[in-house]
Amino acid sequence: MRNPIIVALDVPTAEKALQLAEQLAPVVGAFKIGKELFVSGGPEIVRKIRATGASVFLDLKFHDIPNTVAKAVAAATRLDVQMLTIHCSGGSEMMRAAEKAAQETALQSGRNAPLVLGVTVLTSFDSNGLSEIGAEANVGKQVERLAQLSVRSGIRGLVCSPLEIADLRQLLPKEIQLVTPGIRTGAEKADDQKRTLTPREAMDAGASWLVIGRPIYAAENPRAAAELILKTLE
Ligand code: C5P
């Protein structure tokens, strides 16, 4: 079985991130580096985490003109990340440019293209927020619209909330990879995640990858926590 656990390294320092990565690399599938860690640790933290042998998901959610996004995706590909994110709301031309840059740069560098993941509607948006920016006010409809647009634009994966997995699986070609945060085992203390599924439930609903942060990195023994989650997926 491919290990579907991606650990979100939402920790303040590169030292802490690297320590976690070294401890967890043998028992998880990848590590997610987000804006805070990348802005503080720079590309060097990506290289150091890749050096543990682990895959890296660079979650910088690119959104810009197609040429600029293509160049950022090319740079991330040269950095040898295995997944990265872009905003679907950047439009079809931007998404096509991102996918093309990933494929072409990978070919030139002799490695596999990273999986470019589209982010549809941020879970911080509600229908008021969507109306304010002039988008379709129904969150579910806007998610579907952007998901379909991204697939038509050649994107091979999406980030989605646990509660969107089942609907998106109905709607999209089966080879589209779905990456989902909002995972809780039930054992951890309550936090800001409101709509969650367990790792098993999310995989059964059709997730391809699970992004898990606090249930692993904030556990007393992160490695044991990851191993326990993996066991529930066997
Ligand atoms: O600690 P936790 O498991 O909640 O971490 C989830 C990770 O996924 C964090 O890095 C968070 O920013 C990210 N994420 C999320 N919900 C979204 C999109 C991303 O929790 N809708």
Side-chain angles (χ1 to χ4, degrees):
M1 181 192 84
R2 173 177 62 80
N3 187 326
I5 301 174
I6 301 173
V7 178
L9 293 175
D10 297 330
V11 293
T13 66
E15 290 71 32
K16 180 77 190 141
L18 194 58
Q19 202 187 346
L20 270 169
E22 280 166 353
Q23 188 185 3
L24 292 169
V27 294
V28 305
F31 293 102
K32 181 168 90 72
I33 297 179
K35 289 191 173 87
E36 183 187 11
L37 184 57
F38 190 77
V39 171
S40 61
E44 202 44 39
I45 187 63
V46 176
R47 293 189 192 98
K48 283 184 177 155
I49 288 173
R50 283 292 292 131
T52 68
S55 296
V56 167
F57 170 8
L58 188 63
D59 186 20
L60 300 180
K61 298 189 180 69
F62 298 140
H63 185 172
D64 212 310
I65 59 169
N67 182 56
T68 301
V69 168
K71 285 181 176 168
V73 169
T77 305
R78 286 192 293 270
L79 206 49
D80 198 20
V81 307
Q82 282 61 50
M83 295 181 184
L84 61 95
T85 43
I86 62 172
H87 273 287
C88 302
S89 53
S92 57
E93 209 188 313
M94 189 202 83
M95 291 191 274
R96 257 189 221 101
E99 183 63 30
K100 185 164 176 260
Q103 298 288 346
E104 288 181 357
T105 312
L107 202 63
Q108 287 157 10
S109 334
R111 52 172 66 108
N112 292 327
L115 180 64
V116 177
L117 296 164
V119 173
T120 58
V121 178
L122 295 171
T123 46
S124 49
F125 266 101
D126 58 11
S127 85
N128 279 338
L130 286 177
S131 294
E132 273 176 356
I133 61 163
E136 156 69 58
N138 181 306
V139 177
K141 278 196 190 152
Q142 181 69 359
V143 168
E144 287 184 8
R145 180 186 191 137
L146 288 171
Q148 286 180 309
L149 180 67
S150 66
V151 171
R152 285 202 301 274
S153 309
I155 293 299
R156 294 168 293 132
L158 292 170
V159 178
C160 69
S161 95
L163 303 187
E164 291 164 359
I165 303 171
D167 284 349
L168 289 176
R169 274 286 167 239
Q170 296 281 317
L171 192 72
L172 303 175
K174 64 176 186 330
E175 60 273 15
I176 297 298
Q177 302 210 30
L178 295 180
V179 179
T180 183
I183 301 298
R184 290 296 177 269
T185 65
E188 56 284 289
K189 55 181 186 319
D191 53 40
D192 58 353
Q193 293 284 13
K194 294 199 172 60
R195 292 170 301 160
T196 65
L197 289 184
T198 67
R200 176 84 258 170
E201 286 167 343
M203 293 304 288
D204 288 347
S208 318
W209 299 89
L210 310 172
V211 173
I212 309 178
R214 287 161 287 182
I216 293 178
Y217 73 71
E220 210 166 299
N221 181 338
R223 179 152 173 159
E227 281 171 335
L228 208 61
I229 290 172
L230 199 55
K231 249 190 144 37
T232 68
L233 299 178
E234 276 168 5

